[in-house]
Amino acid sequence: MSTLDFATAPQAQLSPSRMIGVVLIMSVAAVSLLGPLILPGDPLAQSLTKALAGPEVGAPLGYDHLGRSVFHRLADALRLSPVIALAAVMMACAAGLILGTLTATKGGWIDKGLVMLADALLALPGLLLILIVLAMVPGTVVGFWAGLSLVLWVEFFRLTRAATRETLASPAVQASRLLGFGPVYIFRVDIWPEIAPMMLTAAAFGTATAIMAIAALGFVHVGMRAPTPELGLMMVELLPYWREAPLALLSPVIATFALLLGLTLLAGSRET
């Protein structure tokens, strides 16, 4: 990508599919952040007399099998999963960026060692690595954060290493070195503009992958522990009652689908 292409990159963000992604993500964020402010409630409060009851003013999405407001549990879950995913992506991005730049710059045994480590982790299923971490720190936010970071950093590392090695051989970097500029200047001016679009796209895909992994593990009772509101856990809890309360089950399913679709459209709709 040239300097002109990078300068015109914001225009690509206005593509129709990207705008749809932004709208979906903002809609989910509005439910999670503004919903509890407009309609206060306790996501853990139970009222067995209202178990599987339909929507009402205090619970616009009805109640689950324990008489808890699905709306307030969903709003809480839509804050929990994205926060864990974003924290893991930020950690993975930082690690991949630092290590990828280091290997591309230094080479030698550092490069070989980190490439072998990345390939070894890449050969293992991502969910297996997360399960191994969760076995040591079961059902906690820290366990998910550490496990997801361990899985996601490899992609950022490989992207950074490949793009940085190519950029370091460019005439622009050679000119910066001849003029006496240091590595910080070269990274900020020459390397980062080249890898930033790829890193942002990978971050969006990584966030979607992390949210999907958290929901999948919750669906098989390996993720967050009850009564914590979590998307996958909500689905599996409400699945036996889909006939009696279809809206209660569809709410976390639709919210998860909208969030993942929004992130995918935001990441994959870059125009060239």
Side-chain angles (χ1 to χ4, degrees), residues 81-103:
S81 295
V83 165
I84 297 175
L86 288 173
V89 167
M90 291 175 62
M91 181 63 183
C93 182
L97 190 62
I98 294 172
L99 296 177
T101 304
L102 178 65
T103 57

